[in-house]
Structure formats: C-alpha cells, structure tokens
Amino acid sequence: NAGVTQTPKFRILKIGQSMTLQCAQDMNHNYMYWYRQDPGMGLKLIYYSVGAGITDKGEVPNGYNVSRSTTEDFPLRLELAAPSQTSVYFCASRTGTGAGELFFGEGSRLTVL
Amino acid sequence: AQSVTQLDSQVPVFEEAPVELRCNYSSSVSVYLFWYVQYPNQGLQLLLKYLSGSTLVKGINGFEAEFNKSQTSFHLRKPSVHISDTAEYFCAVSEGGGADGLTFGKGTHLIIQP
C-alpha cells in the first residue's frame, strides 16, 4: 500500500528559484491538502482541493500555487523561493464523506538559501 | 473559526509512568476531534478520533482521550508510557467535517526518560 507519496524528500533551493513538490495518492480520495510545518508552530494549511479541477486557498497560500488535473495528483509549485519558505511540507488526503481521517505523506524538507 | 490550544510544548515523563497531554479547542459549531502522532522524520499518523457518541475514545498503542464539551477539551492519556512513545503529538479539530481540512495545535513533544 503506497498511500500518499511525496517527492522529493529533501531539496535545497537558492533564493529566487522555483520548484514543484509532487504528491500522489492511490486511495481514490477526492480531498487533498498541502500543509507546511515549522518548529513549534504546528501545521498550517496552504491549499486544498475537493476534486479534479477544484482548488482553494488555505491559511498561508502566498508564494505557492497548486493544480489538480487528476484525482491522484496534487503538485505544489513554489515560485521565486524565499528563505521564509524553508519548511517541511506535508501532503495529505481523505475521502470526501463525513469526517474521515487525513492520511499523510512522509514530508518534503525544503531549505531556501 | 475554530482553533486548538495545546497547553504544553514539552512533557517529560519517566518510563512506565502515566501521562496526560492537554488540548483545548474553540468553535462555535459541533466539532470532530483528532489526535495525531509524529515520530522523528516521519509523517503524521492517526492515534484516535472523536466524531460522536461515547466521550471516551480509545486509540492505538494504548492511548485514550476524553471529549469534554463543557470544558471544550480533548485531553490525551496513557496509563504507562514506553520509550517508543517519544514523539510529537498533535491535537486537531474539524468543524463539522468541512472540506478545508483540520486545524492543528502547535504540538506537544513527549519525552520519555528511562
């Protein structure tokens, strides 16, 4: 069972570079999420999607973009990376009904220098 | 909007002692409550959840939590901890299972001392 798969696991970027964090799930979940985790701050929601072609902003969307062309994939794009985007990024998914639990990937650790 | 407060950023406990990790939430509507655990360099995994019904919820690895609506609390407990319980624990809330995911607390680092 793959569950939620994130790539890459680690990445170092220079200020101003761009990159895409990949997220794929094989559970046929409609809802997908991107969170960022900073020490002592818990997890903050960046973007989420309730199905292919539908995305919406979370609490901290500035500097990021997402797309959802398929049910399985939910990539997160960082444009013009800044040191403030140094963080651990988690992708998660769940079914669209009720209060299903979130299933998390193992995270992508990004450092912007 | 909902919010979650985890009152302790760090809790040191001796092995085989009991532990309680505190969580309070605020919300104007009915909520679903969750506890997640994060082991070093891993993603989050669900420990337990409260959706409705019995206020005492049992989870994996011997953990349990009690939902107290009047106190707006959802404290996590374990009667006897093991060194392998060393991890970060997150309380989270969802207002009525909304699509915008969960709101997380800042986490409590449980440190088990031998």
Side-chain angles (χ1 to χ4, degrees):
Chain A
N1 282 350
V4 179
T5 303
Q6 292 182 234
T7 57
K9 287 187 170 24
F10 303 94
R11 183 74 186 267
I12 298 175
L13 280 182
K14 293 182 180 178
I15 294 172
Q17 287 185 321
S18 301
M19 75 160 298
T20 299
L21 300 177
Q22 302 290 345
C23 175
Q25 53 91 11
D26 62 359
M27 297 172 283
N28 202 32
H29 286 168
N30 286 327
Y31 290 10
M32 295 188 74
Y33 304 84
W34 275 105
Y35 287 89
R36 60 177 286 173
Q37 181 183 26
D38 300 297
M41 298 302 294
L43 281 78
K44 303 286 187 186
L45 182 65
I46 306 171
Y47 270 96
Y48 67 100
S49 168
V50 299
I54 307 170
T55 62
D56 209 345
K57 294 178 181 179
E59 185 181 355
V60 290
N62 291 345
Y64 306 96
N65 276 301
V66 294
S67 59
R68 184 96 182 269
S69 57
T70 67
T71 299
E72 293 78 20
D73 300 299
F74 190 42
L76 177 72
R77 177 96 178 146
L78 281 73
E79 304 282 1
L80 299 174
S84 60
Q85 293 178 303
T86 293
S87 188
V88 182
Y89 293 85
F90 287 99
C91 180
S93 71
R94 71 171 176 95
T95 64
T97 55
E101 69 178 273
L102 287 179
F103 291 83
F104 283 84
E106 294 195 346
S108 297
R109 184 176 295 273
L110 175 67
T111 302
V112 182
L113 300 174
Chain B
Q2 70 265 34
S3 67
V4 177
T5 302
Q6 291 185 244
L7 296 162
D8 305 296
S9 60
Q10 260 190 182
V11 173
V13 182
F14 286 107
E15 198 169 12
E16 298 184 5
V19 68
E20 178 179 82
L21 305 183
R22 297 179 292 170
C23 172
N24 286 90
Y25 69 92
S26 67
S27 173
S28 57
V29 299
S30 63
V31 295
Y32 302 129
L33 294 157
F34 304 79
W35 275 99
Y36 281 82
V37 60
Q38 183 182 32
Y39 299 105
N41 300 313
Q42 293 188 23
L44 281 71
Q45 57 182 279
L46 183 71
L47 268 181
L48 49 78
K49 62 184 176 184
Y50 171 80
L51 304 183
S52 65
S54 173
T55 56
L56 183 62
V57 180
K58 294 190 182 296
I60 62 171
N61 300 341
F63 284 93
E64 64 181 31
E66 184 152 21
F67 170 60
N68 187 321
K69 189 173 182 179
S70 61
Q71 303 282 332
T72 60
S73 67
F74 191 54
H75 300 333
L76 180 71
R77 302 187 187 101
K78 186 170 183 178
S80 176
V81 294
H82 189 266
I83 197 80
S84 59
D85 293 322
T86 297
E88 192 84 17
Y89 291 80
F90 293 95
C91 182
V93 64
S94 170
E95 281 190 338
D100 57 347
L102 304 181
T103 297
F104 286 84
K106 293 185 177 181
T108 298
H109 188 196
L110 179 60
I111 302 167
I112 310 300
Q113 301 167 328

